[in-house]
Amino acid sequence: MLHCHERRIMHRDLKPSNLLIDPEGRQLKIADFGLARTFGMPLKSYTHEVVTLWYRAPEVLLGSKIYGTGIDMWSVGTIFYEMAHKRPLFYGDSEVGQIFKIFKTLGTPNEETWQGFKDLPSMKMTFPQWKVQGNELLRKACSNFDEAGIDLLTQLLHLEPGRRISAKAALRHPYFDGFNP
């Protein structure tokens, strides 16, 4: 993702089937750039009809048409979990079902956890209010991660897009200490 983001490209459809891994597990290639778009400043308006449902960031699920590379990093987080646990983390059967699964695990947003969430077109203040429990529910779901893995996943899955870890910062995360570059 760093390679793409440094070149101002958002993939916008990251999912396991768009990742190609060689038989030895040494090389990873990203495929299917059909929904990819270039980005710049200021961010422009994009469609929210992107990313396969289970890997779609909450801001996109809630109808935001202005978004950035955080949508790719959210997808990276869901794929990171799925590769380690051999099952998807959030597997809704509709956009509302998907956002409810996310909120059940991470808590329904409030101004402390996501500034401006109330302004998103599809955010309803009548949504169920699940309590923010730190990362306790996420921790329970992550049986195959050590503390560094849970911390990285937590940073990839921040509800507020601006607080999500970037690809560059993710590569410097302690989870990757000891990996051969």
Side-chain angles (χ1 to χ4, degrees), residues 18-175:
N18 284 345
L19 300 178
L20 310 174
I21 304 171
D22 75 339
E24 290 81 39
R26 295 186 183 271
Q27 286 191 345
L28 172 95
K29 293 184 180 183
I30 301 170
D32 191 356
F33 282 79
L35 293 176
R37 294 292 176 269
T38 59
F39 65 90
M41 294 305 271
L43 292 175
K44 56 186 178 183
S45 181
Y46 299 101
T47 180
H48 68 277
E49 306 283 326
V50 295
V51 188
T52 302
L53 187 61
W54 292 354
Y55 311 97
R56 198 175 300 169
E59 63 270 26
V60 177
L61 287 165
L62 293 173
S64 179
K65 292 183 178 174
I66 298 175
Y67 50 79
T69 57
I71 71 162
D72 286 340
M73 298 313 293
W74 176 274
S75 298
V76 167
T78 61
I79 294 165
F80 177 52
Y81 174 90
E82 188 169 333
M83 289 179 75
H85 294 86
K86 297 184 174 68
R87 66 180 183 279
L89 178 57
F90 307 118
Y91 47 92
D93 54 7
S94 66
E95 287 188 355
V96 170
Q98 183 71 13
I99 202 70
F100 283 6
K101 290 209 180 270
I102 292 168
F103 289 172
K104 279 182 192 175
T105 303
L106 303 178
T108 304
N110 57 47
E111 282 300 320
E112 187 179 308
T113 59
W114 187 353
Q115 289 185 340
F117 76 98
K118 292 177 185 175
D119 300 329
L120 293 168
S122 300
M123 182 65 198
K124 307 285 186 252
M125 297 319 291
T126 56
F127 282 169
Q129 297 296 303
W130 287 282
K131 296 255 186 254
V132 178
Q133 300 180 20
N135 61 4
E136 286 311 307
L137 290 178
L138 200 54
R139 183 180 302 282
K140 283 181 186 176
C142 293
S143 57
N144 291 342
F145 285 149
D146 60 10
E147 285 302 313
I150 292 169
D151 183 67
L152 176 58
L153 183 64
T154 300
Q155 291 187 53
L156 287 162
L157 299 181
H158 263 294
L159 286 175
E160 186 174 339
R163 294 172 59 191
R164 229 169 268 150
I165 195 169
S166 69
K168 188 173 195 170
L171 287 173
R172 291 190 311 255
H173 190 277
Y175 177 80

